[in-house]
Amino acid sequence: MTDLKQSYSVRLNDGHFMPVLGFGTYAPDHTPKSQAAEATKVAIDVGFRHIDSAYLYQNEEEVGQAIWEKIADGTVKREDIFYTTKLWATFLRPELVRPALESSLKKLGLDYVDLFIIHVPFAMKALEKCKDAGLTKSIGVSNFNHKLLELILNKPGLKYKPTCNQVECHPYLNQSKLLEFCKSKDIVLVAYSALGSQRDPQWVDPDSPHLLEEPILKSIAKKHSRSPGQVALRYQLQRGVVVLAKSFSEKRIKENFQIFDFELTPEDVKAIDGLNRNLRYDKLQLLWYQDDAGLCLLRQSCWELQTGAVPIQPFWNGLPVRE
């Protein structure tokens, strides 16, 4: 990936194209959902065409409204927008997958999404059926390591391999080995928390370091007359990573898009590579259990299972995915 123009997209292994810079719409629970709509409209006006959301974010109605307003005023056409949604863990049973996607489509007011991915490491053939039905153009995964990806890729009869793997990725967690593996398998790595997370106390340790205060990033930014955030985003693009930028601030949304008109030197990239410390901001703890209704998964930070928890094994097309 050498020619990073504003309109630059990466070709997925199924032939579709994904813009290399995306707008993330997650916000903490205390943030009014209306802000997601306003921020998405600003993002589209600025030039973002890749919009990333999820059932879990509980804002797809507002994000969909924003997209349609920008279609109505002539800023974009539907085909200009690359929209991603995610299957949350409460819909993992095969018969619940398509209804979950159809529910998102109804909230969005869309006939299809461009990418439908599994939010947590668990998988099944039902996503392939959603692609066959035309409800999504591409399918992928999120938060998978290379061993889990290998289980999918080596499964006999696999119809569509994942087009992408969306993971936490930033200079403190550069995922270099996973990136190398994904490239070797023609799977695009998509980086979330690329600016070091929004520090939501529900997920993030308050004592964790502030990425954008990192002296090396600040020094490189000063050299290029840029912000540390712009440097962190540009770093991912030059590594061949699709990157998601999250902000509801109009100033920062505009700033985050202005990363196509400068280039980091090999020395800059090497210095940023050296910041890796395998530090995760998003410490999502998951609890699997089984009840009379089937398989469920809880966020331990949000819910507590009171009784009856039993260990279970998640599967992708019949293969266990726990190590």
Side-chain angles (χ1 to χ4, degrees), residues 21-236:
L21 178 62
F23 179 69
T25 62
Y26 170 77
D29 292 340
H30 59 76
T31 303
K33 301 303 180 186
S34 60
Q35 289 189 20
E38 294 306 312
T40 300
K41 286 188 285 186
V42 171
I44 293 174
D45 283 337
V46 164
F48 282 92
R49 296 295 179 262
H50 177 173
I51 309 296
D52 181 89
S53 192
Y55 166 84
L56 181 65
Y57 304 168
Q58 294 293 293
N59 62 12
E60 290 195 294
E61 187 172 346
E62 290 79 9
V63 172
Q65 176 188 348
I67 292 172
W68 278 109
E69 285 187 26
K70 300 321 295 180
I71 291 174
D73 71 12
T75 303
V76 292
K77 298 177 181 178
R78 169 62 187 96
E79 56 266 30
D80 298 329
I81 297 295
F82 185 99
Y83 183 86
T84 298
T85 191
K86 307 178 187 75
L87 178 71
W88 183 238
T90 48
F91 304 103
L92 291 176
R93 291 190 301 174
E95 67 271 21
L96 298 180
V97 174
R98 179 167 176 167
L101 177 53
E102 289 176 333
S103 175
S104 285
L105 290 171
K106 183 176 180 181
K107 291 176 182 177
L108 292 160
L110 300 177
D111 296 325
Y112 68 91
V113 296
D114 297 274
L115 178 62
F116 187 36
I117 64 178
I118 301 159
H119 213 148
V120 292
F122 190 112
M124 62 208 68
K125 279 184 173 293
L127 263 73
E128 294 183 333
K129 293 179 180 178
C130 289
K131 178 176 171 66
D132 287 335
L135 301 179
T136 181
K137 289 187 174 182
S138 302
I139 58 176
V141 297
S142 180
N143 299 309
F144 275 55
N145 62 26
H146 80 279
K147 291 183 179 180
L148 303 184
L149 289 171
E150 282 181 330
L151 285 172
I152 299 170
L153 298 173
N154 295 331
K155 177 69 171 71
L158 182 70
K159 190 171 185 179
Y160 306 115
K161 71 178 183 180
T163 60
C164 67
N165 183 21
Q166 188 179 125
V167 297
E168 179 179 350
C169 185
H170 45 74
Y172 287 160
L173 180 68
N174 67 25
Q175 302 278 17
S176 58
K177 291 182 179 179
L178 183 60
L179 174 59
E180 182 180 358
F181 177 81
C182 286
K183 285 183 176 180
S184 74
K185 302 298 181 181
D186 196 20
I187 296 172
V188 172
L189 195 73
V190 181
Y192 69 76
S193 294
L195 299 175
S197 178
Q198 295 182 336
R199 309 190 71 81
D200 183 347
Q202 184 175 220
W203 310 106
V204 180
D205 183 347
D207 295 327
S208 59
H210 290 256
L211 176 66
L212 301 185
E213 294 299 320
E214 166 58 47
I216 289 178
L217 287 183
K218 293 174 77 171
S219 175
I220 294 172
K222 183 177 181 180
K223 181 176 70 173
H224 291 279
S225 299
R226 299 287 171 158
S227 71
Q230 289 172 317
V231 169
L233 295 174
R234 179 71 197 191
Y235 168 70
Q236 300 292 4

Side-chain angles (χ1 to χ4, degrees), residues 4 8 24 47 87 96 99 112 134 155 183 200 242 265 277 284 306:
L4 295 174
Y8 197 85
L87 178 71
L96 298 180
Y112 68 91
K155 177 69 171 71
K183 285 183 176 180
D200 183 347
V242 171
T265 67
R277 56 179 81 174
L284 176 62
Q306 301 298 324

Side-chain angles (χ1 to χ4, degrees), residues 221-287:
K222 183 177 181 180
K223 181 176 70 173
H224 291 279
S225 299
R226 299 287 171 158
S227 71
Q230 289 172 317
V231 169
L233 295 174
R234 179 71 197 191
Y235 168 70
Q236 300 292 4
L237 295 190
Q238 290 188 209
R239 303 171 71 218
V241 174
V242 171
V243 62
L244 304 176
K246 295 180 184 178
S247 178
F248 282 6
S249 158
E250 182 173 350
K251 176 179 179 293
R252 284 193 289 274
I253 292 171
K254 292 178 178 178
E255 180 181 279
N256 289 341
F257 195 75
Q258 295 168 351
I259 60 172
F260 296 96
D261 56 353
F262 77 104
E263 187 170 357
L264 300 175
T265 67
E267 293 76 20
D268 294 335
V269 173
K270 184 177 180 180
I272 299 173
D273 283 341
L275 295 176
N276 183 60
R277 56 179 81 174
N278 294 322
L279 183 148
R280 294 184 183 275
Y281 284 102
D282 299 297
K283 299 185 183 299
L284 176 62
Q285 294 184 332
L286 302 177
L287 175 64

